[in-house]
Amino acid sequence: MSFFEDIAAALDTEGIESRVHDDTMFVPITSDLEIQFQEIDPHMPAANVYIAAADVDEDDENFEAVLVSVVFSVDDAVATVARHVATDQVVTVLRDLLEGTDERIGDLEFYQDALNANLVRAEVGQNSELQVLVEVIDGLPSAVVQFVAVGESFEDLIDQAIDELWESDGEAQLSEEDRARMFADLSAEVEIATDEVLDLGVFTDFDRLFDVISLAADQAEDWEEQLVPFDESEFEEPDVYDIYGADADDDADLDEEDDDEDDADFEDLDSEEDLDPDDDADENFGTVRDEE
């Protein structure tokens, strides 16, 4: 079998369709996107991997295939396809969340995190938010869902901290850049200090994911009331008693007594005279038993 035939057979086992035309293999990822394998060596298994638009003809001037990797085995080819399929599923779920295409989340407005493109947030309850991180975990597209509640108004805490910071400056001259950096650091610290996080799980079934998000939105206010900050100082550490201490001392005393007894036994043995097992034999030597 040729390299492409081996790849096609392996993809078919995974339930992924493919077709070969001339020296190129086409693997559809979505209706708009496909992976293309092009053999680059007639003697060894090797192929360039391209991502291309599926609905554009090769003769079209707008056609563009982007080289993304090179594979040298069937396993590499299958793994490459699986990775791109998973990535496309991640993008699809993120788009559904941001655009609210599912009616179960129609009342929520998700927005993308400024630092992590795979993280989306939506405000729920009085002062909380749902966070959904969609990414590929162990080769599977997955969504990590958290309910984050803030015990007090975050904006009020920030305003209070800013006022205190301005008052404490005194005669110190800080540039606007320094102030902005200090405010950003302070905001991060306050946010970390006041957030109460409820982990809702990791989901690979995205239909169930939307059910969970819908339920979380309905339960948001109840969860806010129950998620109170945990102050360790309010809980005294339990007294720890050495329940084995007395037994350990007793065992030590017993061991010491056993050692004393052993020493005494050795002394008794040293004081006794050695018995010669041949003495009895010498006394009986020459004794003749009368025969009847």
Side-chain angles (χ1 to χ4, degrees):
M1 296 177 67
S2 68
F3 186 35
F4 280 170
E5 289 175 335
D6 291 338
I7 295 176
L11 291 175
D12 186 63
T13 302
E14 299 294 328
I16 301 175
E17 298 180 357
S18 63
R19 60 184 176 85
V20 178
H21 178 68
D22 294 334
D23 60 346
T24 303
M25 168 178 278
F26 302 88
V27 182
I29 301 301
T30 67
S31 58
D32 301 323
L33 197 67
E34 68 183 10
I35 294 177
Q36 298 179 1
F37 293 94
Q38 291 186 2
E39 283 191 287
I40 56 177
D41 191 283
H43 305 294
M44 66 175 292
N48 288 339
V49 183
Y50 298 87
I51 295 293
D55 57 349
V56 179
D57 190 85
E58 293 185 14
D59 298 330
D60 194 310
E61 61 180 9
N62 294 323
F63 175 80
E64 182 180 4
V66 180
L67 177 66
V68 292
S69 63
V70 181
V71 296
F72 297 96
S73 69
V74 173
D75 290 341
D76 288 344
V78 174
T80 298
V81 172
R83 183 170 63 253
H84 285 287
V85 169
T87 301
D88 179 75
Q89 290 178 338
V90 166
V91 173
T92 300
V93 173
L94 287 171
R95 183 187 300 117
D96 290 341
L97 290 171
L98 292 171
E99 297 179 358
T101 56
D102 193 295
E103 62 180 6
R104 288 169 289 184
I105 61 170
D107 296 334
L108 298 177
E109 294 185 6
F110 280 95
Y111 62 94
Q112 206 160 27
D113 184 77
L115 300 178
N116 188 348
N118 288 63
L119 176 64
V120 295
R121 307 166 180 263
E123 295 182 358
V124 292
Q126 296 298 319
N127 197 33
S128 302
E129 67 178 15
L130 281 174
Q131 297 183 2
V132 184
L133 177 64
V134 189
E135 59 185 357
V136 179
I137 302 176
D138 296 332
L140 294 175
S142 308
V144 181
V145 185
Q146 291 182 322
F147 175 83
V148 182
V150 181
E152 300 180 40
S153 173
F154 178 74
E155 290 78 8
D156 292 343
L157 288 173
I158 293 298
D159 291 340
Q160 179 182 351
I162 290 175
D163 291 340
E164 294 177 356
L165 182 62
W166 279 100
E167 292 175 359
S168 64
D169 283 345
E171 298 179 355
Q173 297 296 324
L174 297 177
S175 66
E176 291 299 325
E177 182 179 351
D178 290 336
R179 291 185 184 278
R181 177 180 54 79
M182 293 178 67
F183 293 158
D185 294 342
L186 184 60
S187 298
E189 292 177 1
V190 173
E191 183 176 7
I192 293 174
T194 57
D195 282 354
E196 294 296 326
V197 179
L198 184 63
D199 291 322
L200 302 184
V202 181
F203 302 90
T204 56
D205 182 347
F206 294 128
D207 184 64
R208 182 173 177 79
L209 168 67
F210 287 102
D211 285 336
V212 170
I213 292 175
S214 176
L215 176 65
D218 294 337
Q219 295 292 320
E221 293 187 5
D222 289 338
W223 289 346
E224 281 180 337
E225 295 178 358
Q226 299 180 61
L227 282 176
V228 295
F230 178 77
D231 188 357
E232 295 183 357
S233 62
E234 296 180 0
F235 296 87
E236 296 182 358
E237 294 186 2
D239 295 331
V240 179
Y241 298 96
D242 184 9
I243 61 175
Y244 300 104
D247 293 339
D249 293 339
D250 293 341
D251 291 341
D253 294 339
L254 290 175
D255 291 340
E256 185 175 350
E257 292 177 2
D258 291 340
D259 292 339
D260 293 340
E261 293 178 359
D262 292 340
D263 293 340
D265 292 339
F266 281 118
E267 291 176 359
D268 293 340
L269 289 175
D270 291 339
S271 62
E272 294 180 358
E273 294 181 358
D274 293 338
L275 297 178
D276 187 353
D278 294 335
D279 291 345
D280 293 339
D282 292 340
E283 293 176 358
N284 296 327
F285 184 77
T287 302
V288 178
R289 185 175 57 185
D290 295 335
E291 296 181 357
E292 295 181 358

